[in-house]
Amino acid sequence: MTTPRTQLRPGYTTPVVIKGNWQIADDHSTAVGDDDAVYEHLAAFVDAGIDTLDCGDIYYGVEERIGRFIERYRRERGRAAADRISVHTKFIPAFLEEEGLRDLDRATIVQTIDRSLSRLKVESLDLVQLHWWNYDVPGNVEAALVLQDLVQAGKIRHVGGTNYNVTELARMVDAGVDVVVNQVQYSLTDRRPANGLSRYCADNGIHLVAYGSMAGGLFSEKWLGIPDPGEPNFENVSLDKYYRIIVDFGGWDLFQELLRALKTVADRHGVSIPVVASRWVLDQPAVAAVIQGARHARHLAANLRIAELELTAADHDLLNPVLDRATGPAGDAYDLDRAENRDAVENLSPDYFDVEAGRLVRRHRRVEAPAELYGHHLAAAHADPVGTLTAQR
Ligand SMILES: NC(=O)c1ccc[n+]([C@@H]2O[C@H](COP(=O)([O-])OP(=O)(O)OC[C@H]3O[C@@H](n4cnc5c(N)ncnc54)[C@H](OP(=O)(O)O)[C@@H]3O)[C@@H](O)[C@H]2O)c1
């Protein structure tokens, strides 16, 4: 079966399931493996038709890994096969460094785009998604217009955004930027895009690309029936991020009700919980694709079912009563995260929660930081009185 695709612009399509690669960043997971392991797992996705790879310039080591993957794939499978791969990267200027964001100029933007081109070993970036993480700092529209110029210069094919609310997105659109996608968190526990963003995007030719549809793995049989860990303290930053959203959603007990309803629906269709959760997102207005994060290909066969699953009215009748009782999160996409600076939080605890043989357990890990601190690592290092992060570099 070939994975269905959505046309984002004439001559440019994406599969409805995109492969997310935050999970293969040095500072996201310790289970990534060497280049051979990364090659095998990325090749499995691409061979299955999931040939759009999402990444970002601050995902530590990821653009380089994808660059090496594409080079080897081209060598082993030929140019035509490799040319089918598209990469959606992100431009995240001076992440969490307000001064740097204020000082951002055209030369720095061009240099950063050139760095992505060289890391990815491609002549043109298929899609660059801008993340202007602090709306109090002016310059978002100007930066987007520079990216638009780089389309004319042939360095970028398409410009997109990530985590934009309607107000800021409209400023870019009104300034003449052709915003092709807005990548936002969208899931059964985070339906904020339905509060106006989906409508705005549909009206303005912008496609939503959804992350978090599996809540980092919390939407799964593994977490069904497990008691509340009580704090966002898990094996990786995705799980921490989505646990906070579950609290906003109405808490762990309501989430467990949702998991039970999802399990009933999944069993009806012979699929698993994350497949139903992702399909639900894919069916929402203006959503072009869901991103499936993965650090291996073990879930690939299961997740290919996302593309073919058809949810019925009876399925929605099971899910809706739970969704109707949700208390949040409220507001537009990412507004709460931005207001609370949630992406600046780094979990430095050596103990974390996991599930083993159907029971909640505590595991121990060594807290590592990348050699070059950036973004949330900087924020954590400043706030870290015992120097855990810097001491272990
Ligand atoms: N723009 C932004 O601000 C932003 C933010 C977050 C993410 N993203 C993008 O979105 C991508 C997705 O990341 P995410 O953090 O949202 O994670 P996610 O896709 O919600 O969850 C991925 C995790 O779910 C688990 N999983 C996947 N399929 C499964 C299955 N069939 N059964 C059981 N578990 C399954 C896997 O865990 P195991 O590996 O433990 O099996 C996997 O690592 C990222 O890679 C990144 O590209 C963007």
Side-chain angles (χ1 to χ4, degrees), residues 19-23 28 54-55 59 90 131 162-163 183-184 210-222 235-236 238-239 241-242 272 274-275 291-296 298-300 302-303 334 343:
K19 161 76 171 76
N21 291 292
W22 191 21
Q23 280 71 12
H28 188 287
D54 185 74
C55 62
Y59 291 1
K90 300 182 195 81
H131 179 32
T162 178
N163 296 319
Q183 182 184 127
V184 291
Y211 67 80
S213 68
M214 301 179 175
L218 291 170
F219 277 118
S220 66
E221 280 70 6
K222 173 177 170 177
E235 187 238 331
N236 62 61
S238 289
L239 293 163
K241 176 178 173 82
Y242 300 123
S272 59
V275 172
I291 310 181
Q292 188 219 318
R295 50 189 167 175
H296 47 68
R298 279 200 289 280
H299 304 304
L300 174 60
N303 293 342
Y334 203 74
D343 283 340

Side-chain angles (χ1 to χ4, degrees), residues 282-322:
L282 202 48
D283 287 338
Q284 301 311 303
V287 175
V290 290
I291 310 181
Q292 188 219 318
R295 50 189 167 175
H296 47 68
R298 279 200 289 280
H299 304 304
L300 174 60
N303 293 342
L304 284 172
R305 307 281 304 275
I306 296 167
E308 71 191 33
L309 178 63
E310 288 182 29
L311 296 177
T312 64
D315 297 335
H316 289 290
D317 286 347
L318 261 176
L319 299 174
N320 287 340
V322 187

Side-chain angles (χ1 to χ4, degrees), residues 135 140-141 163-175 179 182 195-197 200-201 204 206 331-333 335 338:
Y135 291 160
N140 173 44
V141 172
N163 296 319
Y164 277 94
N165 65 15
V166 172
T167 308
E168 204 65 23
L169 196 55
R171 293 185 63 228
M172 290 198 283
V173 171
D174 294 347
V179 184
N182 185 22
N195 300 339
L197 182 65
Y200 179 81
C201 288
N204 288 278
I206 300 169
D332 205 339
D335 277 356
R338 190 179 285 102

